[in-house]
Amino acid sequence: RQMCIRDRAWMVERMSLAAAAAGADGLIVEVHNDPPHALCDGAQSITPEQFGTLMDKLGALGACIGRTV
C-alpha cells in the first residue's frame, strides 16, 4: 500500500524537519490562507502562520547542522 501525505497536513512540519535533517536540498510545501476552502490540495496545505513557524524551526535546525535556509 502506497503512503500518501494527502489529508495529512499535520505531518508537514515533522516530515519537513526530518527531510532537512536527512540532507534534503529543498522542500515543496503547500501553503494556503484557508486550507479547508482551497480549490485543490487544501487537505495537505498549511497556513501562512504554520509556514512561518516551520521556517523558524528549519532555520534553527539548519544552524545545528551547518546549513542555511
Side-chain angles (χ1 to χ4, degrees):
R1 187 173 147 213
Q2 184 179 8
M3 175 64 175
C4 179
I5 197 156
R6 191 175 143 241
D7 299 328
R8 293 181 175 89
W10 61 271
M11 293 178 68
V12 172
E13 181 179 299
R14 295 172 189 179
M15 297 298 288
S16 296
L17 291 168
D25 289 324
L27 300 170
I28 298 174
V29 179
E30 304 263 2
V31 180
H32 194 279
N33 62 334
D34 188 9
H37 295 102
L39 295 178
C40 66
D41 297 330
Q44 66 194 30
S45 297
I46 60 174
T47 65
E49 294 79 17
Q50 291 170 314
F51 183 71
T53 299
L54 173 59
M55 291 304 295
D56 290 342
K57 290 181 179 183
L58 286 168
L61 174 62
C64 292
I65 61 174
R67 311 257 333 240
T68 59
V69 177

